[in-house]
Amino acid sequence: MPPTNKIWHIQHRALSLQADRAKQYIRPAETSTHLATLLSFPSRRSTLPELHAKTSNEIISLATTIAAFEPVHLYARSEDIPQAQGLLDKQPQHRSNITLIAAPTNHCWIRDTGPVYVHSADPADKTRYAIDFRFCEWGHKTTEYIYGANASPAAAEALETSPQYAEWPVMDAQAMSENTAFAGVVLDLENAGADTVADVVVRVETDIRLEGGGIEVDGEGTFMATESSIIGDARNPGLGKAEIEAELRRLLGVSTFIWFPGRVGLDVTDLHVDAEARFVRPGVVVVCRPHEKAEKVRWEVYSEIRAVLERSTDARGRRFEVHDVVEPDPSFVQGGLAGEEEASAASYVNFYFVNGGLVIPAFGDPEADEKAFELMKSLVPGREVRQVEVNALPRTGGVLHCVTQQVV
C-alpha cells in the first residue's frame, strides 16, 4: 500500500533534516518535563537463564511505578510480547499509561542502546530531535558480561551447567547488529505513529560513539563523564578529547566539562558516570560512596571524583554542593551465581527523575535503603520519591537509570 499523503510528508520532513551536521542542540536536564519514558524488556540473550525471570519482573515493576507519573513505552521482541503482557496483567496499576511495542530489542539497558533526545539550540525551532550514538556494545566488548561466542570462562561455565542452557540463545552477530540499529528503530516506530509533522523526531547523526549512561548534564551547560567510558580507541579511535568535546558542545549544548578519570575494564561500561555521580539540580551533585567492604579500586575512584568536584565549578561559576550516598552492604545483593557480576552495580545514584517524582532503587539492605531514601527526599522537595526493589538488575550490571530513557 502506498504511503498516505500525511505519512509521506512526515517521512520527507524527517529525512530532509537529517543531513545538517553543523546544527546546534541542547540536552535538557532529566528534571525537565518528559513526554514519556522508554523501557526495554530483556531478551533471553542479555541475561543468565537463572536471572531472566527476575529481571523481567523488575522491569515490569519499574514500568508500573513510572506510569503513575508519565506514559511508558515498553519495547519487547515480538516473541517476548506474551510474557511481557502476562506480567503487566499481574500488575495492572496504571496499565493504561503503558504501551507495549514490538521491536528487535535485546538489552534492557535502553539508556545505552536507545536514542538520546535533545532540543534545537534555536528557540524558534520546535522540531523534535534525538541523537543516535550507534551503540557498539560498550566499546565492542560484549565478552565476559554478556553470554555469546566470546563469553568468559565463568559465564560459559554458568551456561553449561544451567538446565536451560541448551535452549538459551546467545548474543550473536545478528543480535549485536540489532542493538546498534535499535535507536533508529525506536525513532522510526515513533515517527510511524506521528499524527502531525510537529510530532516527528529527526534523527541526529554523529561520528562519535558513546552511551547515554556515560553522560550527565545539568541543563545549564555543565557536563560530567568519565574519560574511560568515552575517550579512547575502544569507542572513538583517532579522536582526542578536544575533538570529542567540540562535538559534545554541538550535540548537548554544554560549555563546561567535568571529566573524572574512571577505569577502563572495571565494569563492562568502563565506569559510566550514572553509577558514580549525578546532578540533583544545577550546582548539587550526589556521589556514590563505596560500602566499607568494597575493594580498594572503588575507593580510589570515589576519591578521584570527590577531588575533581571539589576543585571544579559549573557553567554558571558555582562551586558544587556534594552529598555522598553510601552503597548497600553487598551481602544483601550478591547471589553467588556463577557468571553474575563479581561486584554488583548497587548504586543509589542510579536513580531516575520522572514528572513530579524521583524513583530510586532499594537493594534489600534496610538501613542503607532507608538512609538513601531520606537523603534523596530531603534533596528534592516538591517531588514524590518512590523506591523500586531490585536484585537481578544490579547482578546483571545496572540499576534504574540504566534501563530508562526520557522522551522530550
Side-chain angles (χ1 to χ4, degrees):
M1 179 183 294
T4 65
N5 194 45
K6 182 198 79 169
I7 293 175
W8 183 90
H9 281 290
I10 288 173
Q11 293 173 340
H12 180 73
R13 169 72 170 165
L15 290 171
S16 68
L17 292 173
Q18 278 185 4
D20 188 354
R21 290 295 191 103
K23 189 172 179 63
Q24 304 279 327
Y25 305 94
I26 295 173
R27 170 69 163 168
E30 191 172 294
T31 50
S32 64
T33 302
H34 305 171
L35 297 177
T37 289
L38 307 184
L39 290 174
S40 178
F41 195 75
S43 80
R44 294 190 300 162
R45 290 177 175 84
S46 62
T47 64
L48 282 169
E50 293 83 355
L51 290 179
H52 182 257
K54 204 168 186 178
T55 303
S56 301
N57 276 307
E58 289 173 6
I59 290 292
I60 296 300
S61 178
L62 177 61
T64 58
T65 300
I66 295 173
F69 298 90
E70 60 191 63
V72 172
H73 300 167
L74 176 60
Y75 291 87
R77 298 189 69 83
S78 296
E79 62 267 30
D80 293 334
I81 290 285
Q83 181 191 3
Q85 182 66 65
L87 292 174
L88 286 170
D89 290 343
K90 293 177 181 178
Q91 298 190 45
Q93 309 94 317
H94 311 291
R95 177 65 183 88
S96 62
N97 223 16
I98 302 172
T99 303
L100 191 55
I101 304 168
T105 181
N106 292 297
H107 295 300
C108 60
W109 317 118
I110 201 167
R111 176 68 52 176
D112 296 345
T113 63
V116 173
Y117 291 79
V118 292
H119 294 160
S120 170
D122 178 2
D125 183 359
K126 303 305 181 184
T127 303
R128 298 178 61 220
Y129 297 93
I131 307 166
D132 180 358
F133 283 110
R134 296 170 298 123
F135 178 69
C136 62
E137 305 293 334
W138 304 285
H140 306 285
K141 58 178 175 350
T142 294
T143 54
E144 58 187 301
Y145 295 88
I146 307 296
Y147 312 103
N150 298 318
S152 70
E157 180 182 358
L159 285 175
E160 289 170 2
T161 58
S162 166
Q164 304 176 64
Y165 174 66
E167 298 179 356
W168 209 252
V170 297
M171 191 69 76
D172 56 16
Q174 173 61 32
M176 287 188 280
S177 69
E178 290 175 343
N179 299 340
T180 300
F182 180 65
V185 170
V186 169
L187 298 179
D188 287 344
L189 288 170
E190 187 167 351
N191 288 337
D195 292 323
T196 69
V197 171
D199 296 324
V200 166
V201 186
V202 176
R203 178 174 173 264
V204 177
E205 297 179 336
T206 178
D207 291 330
I208 64 172
R209 312 289 288 270
L210 55 78
E211 300 85 41
I215 57 176
E216 178 75 0
V217 299
D218 69 352
E220 293 187 355
T222 313
F223 169 96
M224 295 194 301
T226 61
E227 294 189 13
S228 56
S229 68
I230 297 177
I231 300 170
D233 288 346
R235 291 172 176 83
N236 295 297
L239 295 179
K241 183 190 286 188
E243 295 165 292
I244 290 171
E245 286 186 350
E247 180 68 340
L248 291 175
R249 283 190 183 94
R250 180 181 82 88
L251 295 173
L252 306 177
V254 294
S255 57
T256 297
F257 290 85
I258 310 294
W259 290 104
F260 310 117
R263 292 291 187 283
V264 173
L266 187 57
D267 61 27
V268 73
T269 73
D270 298 317
L271 216 65
H272 275 174
V273 72
D274 69 350
E276 307 299 328
R278 301 285 307 285
F279 289 113
V280 174
R281 57 182 174 275
V284 181
V285 177
V286 289
V287 175
C288 179
R289 182 183 176 90
H291 188 270
E292 60 184 17
K293 295 179 181 179
E295 56 185 333
K296 181 182 177 182
V297 65
R298 296 286 176 176
W299 283 100
E300 292 171 350
V301 168
Y302 162 76
S303 297
E304 290 167 354
I305 290 172
R306 286 299 307 241
V308 170
L309 289 171
E310 286 168 8
R311 64 174 180 262
S312 302
T313 56
D314 69 8
R316 301 288 178 91
R318 292 171 292 220
R319 308 293 296 185
F320 290 107
E321 175 187 324
V322 182
H323 299 267
D324 285 349
V325 189
V326 182
E327 290 180 340
D329 185 328
S331 64
F332 285 93
V333 186
Q334 289 298 103
L337 183 65
E340 73 177 62
E341 292 277 339
E342 292 182 9
S344 60
S347 170
Y348 291 107
V349 308
N350 202 259
F351 51 67
Y352 179 59
F353 280 104
V354 292
N355 293 337
L358 173 65
V359 185
I360 69 173
F363 298 105
D365 178 340
E367 182 178 355
D369 286 349
E370 179 65 20
K371 286 182 177 179
F373 178 81
E374 292 300 329
L375 173 62
M376 295 310 303
K377 189 167 67 169
S378 72
L379 293 176
V380 292
R383 286 183 178 267
E384 181 180 349
V385 181
R386 294 196 185 181
Q387 285 184 299
V388 172
E389 294 181 4
V390 289
N391 177 265
L393 281 171
R395 291 165 63 188
T396 308
V399 206
L400 307 187
H401 196 252
C402 300
V403 298
T404 53
Q405 181 62 264
Q406 65 269 25
V407 179
V408 298

